[in-house]
Amino acid sequence: MGSIFSPLTKNIGIDLGTCTTQVYVEGRGIVLSEPSIMATDQRNTKIIAVGRAAEDMLTKSPETVNIHRPLQNGVIADYGVTRTMLGYILNKCVRSVQRLRIMVGVPAAASNVEKRAVMEAVYQAGAKEAFLIETAAAAAIGANMPVYDPVGNMVVDIGGGTTNIAMLSLGGIVVSKSIHLGSLEFNGAIKDYLRYQYAAVTDEDTIEEMKITNGSAVLPLEDRGFYFMGRGLDDGLQKELAVQSSELYHAIGKPLVKILDLVRSVLRETPPELAADIVEHGIVLTGGGAKLRGMDQLFAQELGVPVVVAAEPDLAVARGAGIAMAKRDSLSALIQGAQRIYRRRF
């Protein structure tokens, strides 16, 4: 028991997201939030940059630089790169002499093989103990929802590549589902709209800015224009274009319908007594996608229940994973250790 209270032991929560990796360290809060990207030199596989520095190289890197996005749909797509990236991130966040106890959020739909890959990567990166928690459950804890109480708590976490939904009560998950669709799908819908409507393409940073500035989940009261430089598909020349807020609303609406359908399916599978709690207390939205303008209004209108966006919604999963790590004894129903996923010889 002495090691649990050792100053050299650190409880860490990690949100290993498709777009962004965030790290929560007990006693310090969120200490890192950077893109899940790594750049290597293809001639010697040496790491050139990780995170934001690697993202800055996306459009300007020479042919000798490989850009890696090792996470897809909230799970590991490239094990070797993920392991290296995690090691770099942990070395940046904590002292090497500290004993690391790490909790990582994973989607509800993740298979045991995918979960094992996450745990192996965390162990290889330097963890002495590793645990997993469903992303939506971590988001609920990070959003300070009363998950211990005998009432229904519903959370919808809209991440970059995955949307996770869970109904929690009495410290456990009643119903949970996930879909491989998130805010990246919003960007993709905008990109497709520009291609077919204006026969033009533009870079990812411009599309992201377009979504943040003028994007909306509900029909905007003020139809503002967003001016940007795009390349014509017919002649390949650069030209200035303008897209209206109402156009972005219609483009983004298609993936939003799929998320709403998934939320409805969770509500249908929820026991009546807990569903009544949702009608009274509402739904909490977390994740970077929840920051889209009018997202709470759309959910409230379509579902007929109160909806609120959590404070700092994009940080909820990492914070919740860290808190769950520190309180793992009382949250054992939500946490999966190595013994529950596979037998491991220590």
Side-chain angles (χ1 to χ4, degrees), residues 8-120:
L8 294 181
T9 299
K10 278 294 180 183
N11 291 321
I12 295 175
I14 298 179
D15 178 11
L16 209 56
T18 303
C19 295
T20 307
T21 294
Q22 297 168 334
V23 179
Y24 173 97
V25 177
E26 185 180 18
R28 295 169 57 194
I30 302 293
V31 298
L32 182 139
S33 178
E34 293 200 12
S36 303
I37 302 176
M38 189 171 79
T40 60
D41 190 326
Q42 67 179 12
R43 296 167 297 187
N44 54 21
T45 67
K46 181 181 179 182
I47 299 175
I48 298 174
V50 176
R52 195 162 289 108
E55 185 182 49
D56 293 340
M57 302 175 69
L58 278 176
T59 57
K60 301 177 181 178
S61 59
E63 293 182 357
T64 56
V65 174
N66 287 335
I67 303 295
H68 307 272
R69 292 182 179 272
L71 298 150
Q72 297 294 329
N73 300 322
V75 295
I76 293 175
D78 189 322
Y79 174 79
V81 174
T82 303
R83 180 187 61 194
T84 304
M85 187 179 74
L86 272 173
Y88 179 91
I89 287 171
L90 290 174
N91 285 336
K92 188 175 180 179
C93 295
V94 295
R95 299 195 303 271
S96 59
V97 297
Q98 291 180 319
R99 186 174 186 272
L100 306 182
R101 188 185 292 119
I102 298 176
M103 180 83 69
V104 183
V106 294
S111 66
N112 274 352
V113 172
E114 291 167 333
K115 291 176 181 178
R116 289 171 194 163
V118 173
M119 296 199 78
E120 286 291 345

Side-chain angles (χ1 to χ4, degrees), residues 116-140:
R116 289 171 194 163
V118 173
M119 296 199 78
E120 286 291 345
V122 172
Y123 276 119
Q124 291 293 326
K128 296 304 180 184
E129 295 180 69
F131 301 86
L132 302 181
I133 183 171
E134 285 192 17
T135 301

